[in-house]
Amino acid sequence: MAITVVGSVAFDSIETPAGKQERCLGGAATYFSLAASFFTDVRVIAVVGEDFGPAEQAVFDARKIDTRGIEHSTGKSFFWAGSYMDNLNEAKTTITALNVFASFNPQIPDAYRDSDFLFLANIDPVLQRRVREQMPDVKLVAGDTMNYWINDHREALLQMLKGLDILLINDTETRVLGGNTNMVQAANAVMGMGPDTLVVKHGEYGATLFNGGSSNTFKVPALPLSEVVDPTGAGDSFAGGFFGYLASQPALTPGAFRRAMFYGSVMGSFAVQRFGTERMQELTREEIDARFKQFVELTHLD
Amino acid sequence: MAITVVGSVAFDSIETPAGKQERCLGGAATYFSLAASFFTDVRVIAVVGEDFGPAEQAVFDARKIDTRGIEHSTGKSFFWAGSYMDNLNEAKTTITALNVFASFNPQIPDAYRDSDFLFLANIDPVLQRRVREQMPDVKLVAGDTMNYWINDHREALLQMLKGLDILLINDTETRVLGGNTNMVQAANAVMGMGPDTLVVKHGEYGATLFNGGSSNTFKVPALPLSEVVDPTGAGDSFAGGFFGYLASQPALTPGAFRRAMFYGSVMGSFAVQRFGTERMQELTREEIDARFKQFVELTHLD
């Protein structure tokens, strides 16, 4: 079933111990779409500037991603610059230029309205909620956020959370949002805010699925990699693999959620192996399934 | 098959957000022995002072642990005081009093010499090596160490590592010892120093087994717990469960190593639920096997 995703399509300048890359195609909606496109139809809502040209469009086209919801505006696309020189687990942001994103007012094309799945990537919770309210009939809604919204826009965020089935955030975000240093207690507090399901992303330590009682908790590791070239987009790629796989399934069984966690971690592991979306652009479904098997070997007794 | 373990038997005063406990029985060899005793025969080599009385002896006796190798010396037992008030993942040491441990010269009782398994808990690598050399015929040798020995006694540590089959250490210790911030590369460097197998303990994120090539890498999570009362001894209990289970197996197959990782994490999860060794003292094999099943549910697709 089709997923509509709203979020940023951007240019990123990234520095890591493996090197430097100027203005590569990035943004949460980009990583999410590419990852999810290996599993199901994806439709993007975003805004870009005049610097988004045929080369960038071709990246979406190659994966058959519907971009009719990408608005082309006068000015420059969202631009982010950051480095991971000291710590691959945390980006040090040097520039965030919202540009055309500052006045983004998401419009949902009619052709997107029959989407059964909706993903609200990390943007202003007011915009996330606006999109959510315009798509009242979707079957499953997942979303992401970040500490900035948790700390400084808590009211708007809490309103948005009421419309989510699944929230995907990291450890620190879970502890801050849930107001508890114990992960289980923090997760329970967050699930009390709206989402039935919480996926906590632990970076190099994988991710945990919380789903009501602890009997439904599920853990997936990250793949131990001998080189992480660029961590940018790992979390969004995880979300794309996770939600894309769910959308491809005939029923949302506990088993489907478990396999979705594995596919999330698989897509995250590919994302970090090259700069920007490079690895995702050349990926095949065969490589994805081979790595899925590697993950099963990494965790299963038999 | 029987395990001989050499290490500290001590008293600990511990403060955590859950409360305070004065002078509870502790020490790496104590936690290790109790955990391993649920799987196989355990024999301890340590030194204690006059403060080690019938109550402490009874803890070992109840688990049928052979304590003929515990030397009773004039003076006080090793004493450690620490707190986890700011961070449950890292103890803040306030007192370390070696006491009788300062002049510890491990003696191996004749009755221990047919042990097939040897565990060198975290003590001076010179002593670890001395014990190792006195037991040349053991089938499998595992050991632990800490940053103090890695940083300040590197030469002695490197000599000791040559005699190990399995090293169990944490993330930071692996990165520092291996001289690399990438975990896979650090693990490979450490395995080049002697041990064929490296178990890296990640605290609340579980543990990774590295064993030669990455095709043999295996991950076990930690159990998400809604309350961690006292993290002291979690790593030693992991080691006891891991090595105790291995010693109980007819053959050291890859499957045995995988199940051993699960049992390690199981024992670590029990250790932190009460102060000191309290939870380990009242544990049953039935509870252990029930939790093992919980771990399988936590990670397995089907």
Side-chain angles (χ1 to χ4, degrees):
Chain A
M1 282 177 283
I3 299 176
T4 286
V5 50
V6 59
S8 57
V9 171
F11 288 95
D12 294 337
S13 286
I14 304 160
E15 191 177 5
T16 82
K20 224 173 155 171
Q21 204 87 357
E22 298 289 344
R23 292 186 61 77
C24 43
L25 179 63
T30 305
Y31 283 102
F32 177 93
S33 299
L34 289 173
S37 72
F38 289 92
F39 303 95
T40 194
D41 292 336
V42 182
R43 301 155 172 180
V44 192
I45 300 171
V47 61
V48 294
E50 293 149 298
D51 46 5
F52 184 94
E56 288 75 29
Q57 181 63 43
V59 172
F60 290 88
D61 293 345
R63 296 290 326 141
K64 298 191 169 41
I65 296 163
D66 194 331
T67 55
R68 284 177 286 179
I70 297 186
E71 179 193 333
H72 291 256
S73 190
T74 312
K76 284 189 162 187
S77 299
F78 188 166
F79 174 71
W80 177 82
S83 80
Y84 303 83
M85 294 311 283
D86 301 324
N87 182 357
L88 277 171
N89 293 311
E90 208 180 323
K92 206 172 131 184
T93 295
T94 49
I95 304 171
T96 304
L98 289 177
N99 298 329
V100 297
F101 219 83
S103 53
F104 181 38
N105 185 18
Q107 303 298 325
I108 300 163
D110 283 340
Y112 285 19
R113 292 196 179 271
D114 64 348
S115 304
D116 279 309
F117 284 67
L118 175 63
F119 188 76
L120 310 170
N122 169 35
I123 51 172
D124 186 335
V126 171
L127 299 185
Q128 290 177 309
R129 193 173 154 211
R130 202 176 293 164
V131 172
R132 172 70 184 95
E133 285 174 350
Q134 288 178 73
M135 296 186 76
D137 300 326
V138 289
K139 198 170 150 183
L140 202 70
V141 188
D144 189 5
T145 191
M146 68 186 288
N147 270 341
Y148 172 67
W149 308 115
I150 295 170
N151 291 323
D152 297 350
H153 296 258
R154 194 172 175 93
E155 256 326 299
L157 181 67
L158 291 176
Q159 287 303 318
M160 186 279 285
L161 288 177
K162 290 180 188 164
L164 285 192
D165 299 304
I166 306 172
L167 177 67
L168 295 99
I169 49 180
N170 71 24
D171 284 45
T172 310
E173 289 156 359
T174 305
R175 291 191 162 106
V176 174
L177 179 58
N180 201 307
T181 54
N182 179 278
M183 182 55 72
V184 175
Q185 293 188 35
N188 287 334
V190 170
M191 287 187 288
M193 296 170 188
D196 288 334
T197 299
L198 173 68
V199 176
V200 183
K201 296 171 287 182
H202 311 307
E204 67 169 314
Y205 299 112
T208 305
L209 174 87
F210 292 99
N211 186 4
S214 71
S215 63
N216 293 309
T217 302
F218 186 66
K219 293 230 170 207
V220 66
L223 193 70
L225 293 167
S226 59
E227 192 186 26
V228 172
V229 171
D230 172 17
T232 312
D236 301 312
S237 303
F238 182 104
F242 172 82
F243 209 51
Y245 179 78
L246 275 185
S248 76
Q249 292 302 291
L252 297 173
T253 61
F257 273 90
R258 288 173 172 238
R259 290 189 299 274
M261 288 289 286
F262 270 71
Y263 277 109
S265 206
V266 163
M267 300 311 285
S269 77
F270 281 121
V272 304
Q273 289 191 295
R274 299 265 289 276
F275 271 101
T277 60
E278 278 175 22
R279 186 71 180 91
M280 303 290 258
Q281 289 182 39
E282 55 153 41
L283 203 56
T284 66
R285 182 62 198 249
E286 290 65 38
E287 289 178 303
I288 292 169
D289 288 329
R291 190 161 286 186
F292 181 90
K293 284 198 189 107
Q294 237 182 306
F295 268 84
V296 173
E297 271 172 35
L298 191 63
T299 54
H300 279 48
L301 288 172
D302 305 305
Chain B
M1 281 178 286
I3 299 176
T4 285
V5 50
V6 59
S8 58
V9 171
F11 288 94
D12 295 337
S13 287
I14 304 160
E15 192 177 5
T16 82
K20 223 174 156 167
Q21 204 86 355
E22 298 289 344
R23 292 187 61 78
C24 42
L25 178 63
T30 305
Y31 283 102
F32 178 93
S33 299
L34 289 173
S37 72
F38 289 92
F39 304 94
T40 195
D41 292 336
V42 182
R43 301 154 172 180
V44 191
I45 300 172
V47 61
V48 295
E50 292 150 295
D51 46 5
F52 184 95
E56 288 75 31
Q57 181 62 43
V59 172
F60 290 88
D61 292 345
R63 295 290 327 142
K64 297 192 172 39
I65 296 163
D66 193 332
T67 55
R68 284 176 288 178
I70 298 186
E71 180 192 335
H72 292 256
S73 190
T74 312
K76 283 189 163 187
S77 300
F78 188 167
F79 175 71
W80 177 82
S83 80
Y84 303 83
M85 294 311 282
D86 301 325
N87 182 356
L88 277 171
N89 294 311
E90 207 181 323
K92 205 170 131 186
T93 295
T94 50
I95 304 170
T96 304
L98 289 177
N99 298 328
V100 296
F101 219 83
S103 54
F104 181 36
N105 185 16
Q107 304 297 323
I108 300 164
D110 284 341
Y112 286 18
R113 292 199 178 268
D114 64 349
S115 303
D116 280 308
F117 285 67
L118 175 62
F119 188 76
L120 309 170
N122 168 36
I123 51 172
D124 186 335
V126 172
L127 298 185
Q128 290 177 310
R129 192 173 156 213
R130 202 175 294 163
V131 172
R132 171 69 184 96
E133 284 172 352
Q134 287 178 73
M135 296 185 76
D137 301 325
V138 289
K139 197 169 152 183
L140 201 70
V141 189
D144 188 5
T145 189
M146 67 187 288
N147 270 339
Y148 171 67
W149 308 114
I150 294 170
N151 291 323
D152 298 349
H153 295 259
R154 195 173 174 92
E155 257 325 301
L157 181 68
L158 291 175
Q159 287 304 317
M160 187 281 285
L161 288 177
K162 289 181 189 164
L164 283 193
D165 300 303
I166 307 173
L167 177 66
L168 295 99
I169 49 179
N170 70 26
D171 283 44
T172 311
E173 289 156 1
T174 305
R175 292 192 162 107
V176 174
L177 179 57
N180 201 306
T181 55
N182 178 279
M183 183 54 71
V184 175
Q185 293 188 35
N188 287 334
V190 170
M191 287 187 289
M193 296 170 187
D196 289 333
T197 299
L198 172 68
V199 176
V200 183
K201 295 170 288 180
H202 311 306
E204 67 169 314
Y205 299 112
T208 305
L209 175 87
F210 292 99
N211 187 4
S214 72
S215 65
N216 293 311
T217 302
F218 185 67
K219 293 231 169 207
V220 66
L223 191 69
L225 293 167
S226 58
E227 193 186 26
V228 172
V229 170
D230 172 18
T232 312
D236 301 312
S237 303
F238 182 104
F242 172 82
F243 209 51
Y245 179 78
L246 276 184
S248 77
Q249 292 302 291
L252 297 175
T253 61
F257 272 91
R258 288 173 171 238
R259 290 189 300 275
M261 288 290 284
F262 271 72
Y263 278 109
S265 205
V266 162
M267 299 311 284
S269 77
F270 281 120
V272 304
Q273 290 192 291
R274 299 264 290 276
F275 271 102
T277 61
E278 279 175 22
R279 185 72 180 91
M280 303 290 259
Q281 288 183 40
E282 54 153 41
L283 203 56
T284 67
R285 182 63 198 250
E286 289 66 39
E287 288 177 304
I288 292 169
D289 288 329
R291 190 161 287 184
F292 180 91
K293 284 197 189 111
Q294 240 182 303
F295 269 83
V296 174
E297 273 173 35
L298 193 62
T299 53
H300 279 48
L301 289 172
D302 307 303

